[in-house]
């Protein structure tokens, strides 16, 4: 089987130690958490870090908690934990819906929220989920922490604003009332990356859409988001026609490219179809919550 | 025919747990990569990143300077040993290491031998190859264009990519049938390139003893004896100094039949370094370079009367053989057994033509449980019958029932000359329809169509062609396809049976013990199976094409019968009676009319080894052997029904139910047979819906890892529903037929027919596999895609 | 670097290269070849072992990352010469053919049953969906795990208890 090139290995003992190790080893070092994105790339020798810094001992980053305004998800939360988190899914059932279709149960036991976001794969489902939820991420470095909206976190395929001596430490999701969320994904087979995926969040206020979030994965939407479709929905009654128009806008709000998962026209069609489905279900849930 | 007399518990055929499971569930299997010989080195292959390029130079100095590297082998070095090229199984040659050009992405270019596998991998990066890129041809339909680059310029005078033309059947009679038909339906279809992808990849350990000159090759091979002989023929190694050992094999499905360059390199490596050398391919090497399957572009044409009597069938094939013609099949059959394509139907005439071409793709062609291209044949006829049903607006089950061969027509000679041994086809289809609740399913479908929901019901009826094969008809590189078997009964009545065939999960250690037990009455638990070691087993050509039971199983049955016959003579001597006065019960001869006076096989075995006076001229001991040359192939068959739901918004297919009725004659171990059928059905779902090895225009393989080449998981497979009919083979000593590949052969058209049936409201007539969500949606738009090329 | 972990209750300590994959540590350093590998991309699941009671793909974990952890492989399923109910289920229901995916499948099954003693067939299929079997078509694996659920010894061979998710 394929094996990685030589590396040095460091195991961080704390967040501050991890940052210190990053600073010491410089840009050729990489953080490893679950390892399910990085290690296959290292085995294929597409990634060649000189040093890997293991943060699996950082229990301090493994939490899901809510205060009155926010849901806070630590970077070391495993996919399986987010999927099974009552607290996260009470507010946003989109988490369970998305996690159920991310990779497979074994991979979900290891893969982490922070790792998924930092890998920044264009098909990453959690990127679309957090885009729909308009989350922010906390990035910690030598000079303390900074909070960045998810909409400016990704700067291209496999690229984020996290600097070489920084670490993503937390994702913050604002809590809302009368909110519904849902996730839709079509994949060639269980465990595969999506051909297209859509996450939706809708807040209803007196029957009108007061906030809308639409996250898109695998279709090269800027920052995993269908901003124009979101804007279109604001202040409108969620009628079938409005949803159909929003879905159409979303399908034009991305730049899918043909690959072995599907041709461009199909991917656009899927965005439209899945946006419709996700919006409908998010609206239904928002209504249920409202009653 | 087996005598289905009452037998004691633990004897003979029936559902018994497998002997081999005891080690496997404890993690004590012994697979190739589990073997670590003292002082062993590790090899790694440098492969071409390009599909077509001239090698200008190879610089191995840096790799050789690596502290842990013991040797670096290039094509130039092999040339000096006359081993750069070796003969293929199809009258061609294959390159072990490229010398002049690379001809497909993933082709072997150099071989590094190092102290450990990590260092070997590291050293590959230190080899500098200077390539001059050449335009590749990956589209078989353009391989014969006048301006197509010539791939095989190593063949003297070669100016094109043409390999062969071959035909079977009566072309004139077929044309005549078409002329008088009321309806003729034509359909082009591709059976795309797929890969057997066993969970264990291929590998070998070569261990040359420099003193004795004995070369032991541990190898993931389905055919250890054939390998030994081929090494002797190809490399000029003395055959008595060659020993091939197949340890436990983690699945084969045809992938582990041929000899791959990596095996030869391990051998050369061991000779060069005088140490054992292990080579084990990684998954990408497995998918990109070892035997693929299919890649048949087929143009079908079916003729019928307006009331649905099929008259004739014609299929013209463009066969993509990749860069070397290296399909593993009986030598006289360039298209394998494809010419059994008239299938299970009573038609007047049939004709097929096959044209083989070279492309800049990996060589291979026959693998993946296909029974030498019966898979392609069944797919072709079963799609054509469905296309005819669609045009005639006749229910596809009814159309099949109308045209199936009738029991009284057997033995039946097909329009292309096959003699089907036995069959009761309508009974199998009726049973499948009954299990599925066919009429209710059609009602449900009509209901759903009214609501805009897409449900499809697909049928496939197949006749398999397995157990190659009779010496008078076939050989592999001149070797007849007979298999030997030796049975020895020890003095205390326990037995050992030695086989030439090689299990890869089929459970031979259990089923061959059951065959010996069935005939001799020795309990299954008391029969030990020895296999997988050419020094300790009789010669034979190995396990593929579902041939173990039809050929080697017959050898075991005949040898066992010889034991029983010899035992009779000894029993007569012991009982001081005439052999004619004896009667057989399972495991014991007794005097007719007096069951109390008899001798068990144990008693007889002891006597055979004792001072007991034996009949005049008889040697002692209780041993027998047989080399079985099958008089014909066996023809198992089955009726499959698949039920799918298609999401009209996304094109996503869900296989809801799959009903499989198989007839393989009597079943040695019904549990094992059913398990093999389950596995083949999953293969069918995989090939029909997701498995794909396409190539982009630069010749890059787009299915080179399990991220890209998708194999079905437990979530895509339904709970299989199976049924059975039993039509014994008239010529097999126990009436048995092969079954290992039946479901892989029979299931893909059932799934495809089901999906296309679901899409009927959209006017879709055909779309090629794999029917991915994108392909289904495109078909619904009337624009299905080619699945052998990159999606644009 | 020095790593040390517990494999099936035994402490294994070795000097290794930092890049060594856990699957190779288990197979070649500890000599436990019951754990297999089948791909390079964490898709096939033949390399599944339990790490601190949770199934992981050992080809996608560095041995160094398992330092100090508790590993269970197929060789650790049997206790005091008695097969685990999952092992017995695989034999009884013919849940294996070539045997290559079997160790990983059984470990996942053990984890599933420890956390969900009476899974539905759908839950069983979901649990093993990250592991590929080419021989069985999965049906008999599902039956084997169901058999195991129905024949748990009751004395609790709960090897993932307290440490698993």
């Amino acid at each position: 089987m394929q094996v990685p090139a030589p590396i040095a290995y460091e195991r961080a003992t704390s967040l501050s130690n991890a940052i210190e190790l990053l600073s010491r080893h410089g840009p050729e070092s990489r953080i490893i958490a679950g390892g399910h994105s990085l290690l296959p790339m290292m085995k294929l020798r597409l990634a060649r870090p000189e040093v890997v810094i293991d943060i699996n001992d950082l229990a301090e980053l493994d939490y899901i908690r809510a205060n009155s305004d926010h849901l806070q998800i630590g970077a070391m939360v495993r996919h399986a934990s987010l999927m099974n988190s009552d607290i996260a899914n009470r507010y946003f059932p989109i988490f369970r819906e998305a996690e159920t279709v991310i990779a497979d149960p074994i991979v979900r036991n290891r893969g982490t929220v922070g790792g998924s976001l930092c890998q920044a794969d264009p098909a990453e489902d959690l990127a679309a989920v957090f885009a729909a939820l308009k989350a922010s991420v906390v990035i910690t470095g030598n000079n303390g922490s900074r909070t960045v909206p998810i909409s400016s976190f990704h700067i291209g395929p496999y690229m984020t604003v996290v600097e070489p001596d920084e670490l993503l430490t937390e994702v913050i999701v604002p809590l809302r009332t009368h909110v519904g969320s849902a996730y839709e994904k079509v994949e060639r087979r269980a465990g595969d990356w999506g051909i297209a995926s859509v996450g939706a969040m809708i807040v209803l206020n007196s029957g009108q859409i007061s906030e809308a979030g639409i996250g898109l994965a695998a279709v090269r939407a800027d920052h995993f988001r269908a901003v124009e479709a979101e804007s279109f929905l604001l202040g409108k009654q969620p009628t079938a026609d409005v949803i159909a128009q929003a879905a159409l806008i979303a399908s034009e709000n991305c730049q899918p490219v043909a690959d072995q998962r599907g041709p461009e026209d199909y991917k656009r069609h899927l965005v439209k179809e899945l946006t419709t489905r996700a919006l409908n279900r998010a609206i239904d849930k928002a209504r249920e919550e409202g009653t | 025919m087996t005598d289905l007399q009452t037998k004691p518990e633990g004897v003979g055929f029936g559902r018994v747990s497998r002997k081999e499971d005891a080690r496997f569930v404890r993690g004590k299997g012994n697979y190739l990569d589990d073997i670590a010989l003292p002082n062993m080195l590790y090899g790694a292959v440098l492969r071409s990143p390009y599909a077509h390029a001239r090698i200008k130079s190879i610089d191995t100095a840096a790799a050789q300077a690596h502290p842990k590297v013991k040797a670096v082998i290039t094509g130039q070095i092999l040339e000096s040993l006359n081993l750069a090229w070796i003969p293929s199984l199809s009258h061609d040659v294959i390159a072990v290491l490229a010398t002049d050009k690379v001809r497909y992405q993933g082709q072997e270019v150099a071989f590094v031998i190092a102290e450990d596998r990590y260092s070997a991998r590291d050293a590959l990066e230190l080899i500098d190859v200077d390539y001059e890129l050449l335009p590749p041809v990956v589209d078989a339909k353009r391989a014969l264009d006048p301006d197509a680059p010539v791939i095989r310029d190593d063949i003297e005078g070669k100016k094109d990519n043409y390999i062969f033309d071959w035909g079977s059947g009566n072309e004139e009679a077929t044309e005549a049938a078409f002329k008088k038909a009321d309806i003729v339906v034509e359909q082009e279809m591709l059976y795309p390139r797929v890969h057997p992808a066993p969970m264990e990849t291929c590998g070998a350990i070569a261990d040359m003893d420099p003193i004795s000159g004995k070369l032991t090759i541990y190898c993931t091979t389905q055919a250890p004896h054939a390998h030994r002989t081929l090494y002797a023929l190809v490399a000029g190694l003395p055959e008595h100094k060659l020993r091939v050992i197949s340890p436990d094999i983690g699945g084969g499905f045809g992938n582990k039949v041929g000899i791959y360059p990596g095996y030869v390199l391990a051998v050369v490596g061991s000779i060069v370094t005088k140490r054992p050398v292990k080579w084990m391919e990684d998954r990408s090497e497995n998918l990109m370079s070892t035997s693929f399957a299919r890649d048949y572009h087929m143009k079908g044409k079916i003729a019928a009367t307006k009331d649905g009597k099929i008259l004739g069938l014609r299929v013209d094939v463009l066969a993509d053989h990749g860069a070397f013609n290296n399909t593993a099949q009986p030598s006289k059959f360039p298209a394998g057994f494809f010419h059994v394509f008239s299938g299970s139907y009573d038609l007047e005439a049939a004709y097929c033509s096959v044209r083989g071409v070279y492309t800049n793709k990996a060589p291979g062609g026959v693998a993946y449980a296909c029974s030498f291209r019966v898979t392609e044949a069944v797919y072709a006829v079963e799609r054509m019958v469905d296309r005819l049903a669609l045009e005639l607006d006749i229910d596809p089950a009814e159309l099949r029932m109308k045209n199936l061969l009738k029991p009284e027509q057997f033995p039946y000679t097909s329009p292309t000359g096959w003699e089907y041994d036995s069959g009761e086809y309508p009974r199998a289809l009726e049973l499948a329809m009954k299990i599925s609740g066919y009429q209710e399913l059609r009602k449900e479908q009509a209901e759903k169509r009214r609501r805009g929901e897409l449900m499809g019901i697909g049928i496939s009826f197949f006749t398999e062609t397995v157990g190659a094969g009779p010496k008078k008809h076939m050989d592999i590189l001149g070797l007849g396809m007979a298999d030997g078997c030796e049975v020895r009964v020890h003095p205390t009545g326990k037995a050992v049976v030695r086989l030439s065939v090689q299990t890869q999960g089929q459970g031979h250690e259990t089923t061959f013990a059951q065959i010996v037990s069935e005939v001799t009455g020795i309990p299954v638990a008391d029969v030990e199976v020895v296999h997988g070691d050419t020094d300790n087993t009789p010669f034979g050509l190995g396990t593929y094409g579902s041939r173990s039971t039809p050929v080697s199983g017959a050898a075991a049955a005949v040898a066992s019968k010889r034991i029983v016959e010899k035992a009779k003579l000894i029993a007569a001597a012991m009982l001081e009676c005439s052999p004619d006065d004896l009667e057989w019960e399972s495991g014991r001869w007794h005097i007719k009319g007096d069951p109390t006076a008899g001798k068990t096989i144990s008693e007889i075995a002891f006597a055979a080894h004792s001072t007991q006076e034996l009949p005049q001229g008889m040697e002692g001991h209780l041993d027998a052997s047989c080399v079985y040359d099958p008089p014909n192939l066996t023809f198992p068959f089955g009726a499959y029904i698949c039920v799918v739901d298609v999401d009209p918004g996304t094109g996503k297919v869900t296989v809801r139910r799959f009903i499989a009725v198989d007839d393989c004659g009597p079943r040695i171990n019904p549990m094992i047979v059913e398990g093999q059928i389950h596995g083949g059905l999953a293969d069918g779902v995989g090939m029909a819906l997701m498995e794909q090895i396409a190539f982009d225009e630069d010749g890059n393989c787009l299915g080179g890892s399990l991220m890209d080449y998708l194999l079905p998981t437990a979530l895509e497979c339904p709970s299989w529903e199976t049924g059975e009919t039993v039509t014994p083979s008239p010529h097999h000593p126990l009436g048995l037929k092969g079954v290992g590949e039946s479901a892989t052969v029979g299931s893909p058209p059932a799934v495809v027919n089901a999906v296309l049936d679901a899409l009927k409201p959209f006017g879709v007539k055909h779309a090629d596999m794999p029917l991915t969500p994108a392909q289904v949606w495109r078909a619904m738009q009337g624009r299905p895609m080619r699945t052998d090329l990159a999606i644009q | 670097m020095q790593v040390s972990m517990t494999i099936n209750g035994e402490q294994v300590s070795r000097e290794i290269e930092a890049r060594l994959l856990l699957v190779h540590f288990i197979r070649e350093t500890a000599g436990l070849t019951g754990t297999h590998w089948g791909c390079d991309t964490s898709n096939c699941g033949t390399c599944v072992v339990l790490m601190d009671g949770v199934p992981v793909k050992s080809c996608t974990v560095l041995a160094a990352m398992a330092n100090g952890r508790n590993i269970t492989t197929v060789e650790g399923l049997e206790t005091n010469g008695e097969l685990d109910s999952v092992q017995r289920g695989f034999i009884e229901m013919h849940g294996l053919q070539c045997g290559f995916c079997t160790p990983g499948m059984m470990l996942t099954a053990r984890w599933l049953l420890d956390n969900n003693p009476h899974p539905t067939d759908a839950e069983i299929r979901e649990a093993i969906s990250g592991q590929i079997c080419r021989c069985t078509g999965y049906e008999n694996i599902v039956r084997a795990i169901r058999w195991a659920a129905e024949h748990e010894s009751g004395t609790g061979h709960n090897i993932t208890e307290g440490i698993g998710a």
Side-chain angles (χ1 to χ4, degrees), chain B residues 450-471:
Chain B
R450 276 194 286 279
R451 296 201 299 265
E453 292 172 37
L454 302 180
M455 166 186 169
I457 305 157
I459 303 176
S460 156
F461 197 102
F462 67 91
T463 298
E464 255 276 57
T465 311
V466 304
K471 272 186 184 180

Side-chain angles (χ1 to χ4, degrees), chain A residues 22-95:
Chain A
L22 278 171
S23 309
R24 193 195 310 159
H25 293 295
E28 297 310 315
S29 63
R30 285 287 295 271
I31 293 286
I32 193 163
H36 278 63
S37 301
L38 182 58
L39 267 170
M41 302 271 277
M42 286 168 61
K43 287 199 279 182
L44 300 168
R45 306 208 173 187
L46 298 170
R48 291 175 163 270
E50 288 170 7
V51 184
V52 296
I53 299 165
D54 179 359
I55 59 166
N56 278 283
D57 284 352
L58 270 52
E60 62 197 283
L61 296 183
D62 185 5
Y63 56 84
I64 300 175
R65 58 184 174 232
N67 59 28
S68 54
D69 300 327
H70 294 99
L71 182 69
Q72 295 166 295
I73 302 168
M76 277 305 295
V77 168
R78 313 273 174 189
H79 288 292
S81 304
L82 183 57
M83 182 166 108
N84 296 319
S85 163
D86 289 336
I87 187 161
N89 285 288
R90 189 188 320 144
Y91 292 110
F92 301 108
I94 190 174
F95 286 123

